[in-house]
Amino acid sequence: EVQLQAFGGGLVQPGGSLRLSCVTSGFTFDDYAIAWFRQAPGKEREWVSCIGGSYDRTWYADSVKGRFTASRVNAKNTVYLQMNSLKPEDTAVYYCAAGRIPQTTVVDHYDHWGQGTEVTVSS
């Protein structure tokens, strides 16, 4: 059974940091790119970042570039999203997703999804 589980969300003040984890199982981890999406209340799901499969190339949305960093530890089947300098507009439920097309921002290109973890940036 394919599973992706996102962890690490919470409440943080503006300017603070959080690290999200996406733990996966049930598929060949190296073969898949792992992306992070987010969805704020009343808004569409938005692509945030992607990291390649067997290589560590990363891509970021302009809104998070320079503040967020994606990384992966293939031995642990885990991807991380380090989020620094958080802003209130980063508030959303964050989802990780696995797909075979790296760099794509299209929701439908991802085959497997996690359950989401909520991030709230507020003072």
Side-chain angles (χ1 to χ4, degrees):
E1 179 186 4
V2 173
Q3 286 192 329
L4 290 88
Q5 294 180 296
F7 300 99
L11 173 64
V12 63
Q13 292 187 341
S17 297
L18 282 174
R19 188 176 80 156
L20 305 184
S21 302
C22 177
V23 180
T24 74
S25 61
F27 61 96
T28 304
F29 188 66
D30 294 7
D31 289 348
Y32 283 78
I34 305 294
W36 290 94
F37 286 78
R38 66 187 181 186
Q39 189 164 18
K43 295 189 176 181
E44 292 188 354
R45 194 163 294 191
E46 173 191 23
W47 176 83
V48 173
S49 174
C50 183
I51 185 166
S54 57
Y55 53 95
D56 286 345
R57 187 170 178 184
T58 53
W59 298 268
Y60 300 96
D62 287 344
S63 58
V64 306
K65 200 172 292 182
R67 300 187 297 122
F68 290 13
T69 303
S71 60
R72 63 192 293 154
V73 179
N74 286 356
K76 294 184 178 181
N77 291 351
T78 300
V79 168
Y80 303 98
L81 185 67
Q82 178 67 42
M83 306 188 297
N84 298 330
S85 302
L86 283 161
K87 304 175 181 180
E89 51 264 43
D90 295 317
T91 295
V93 177
Y94 283 71
Y95 300 88
C96 56
R100 291 183 175 270
I101 306 174
Q103 195 178 359
T104 180
T105 64
V106 178
V107 169
D108 290 346
H109 288 171
Y110 291 89
D111 305 310
H112 310 294
W113 289 81
Q115 84 288 3
T117 185
E118 188 168 4
V119 172
T120 302
V121 184
S122 174
S123 55

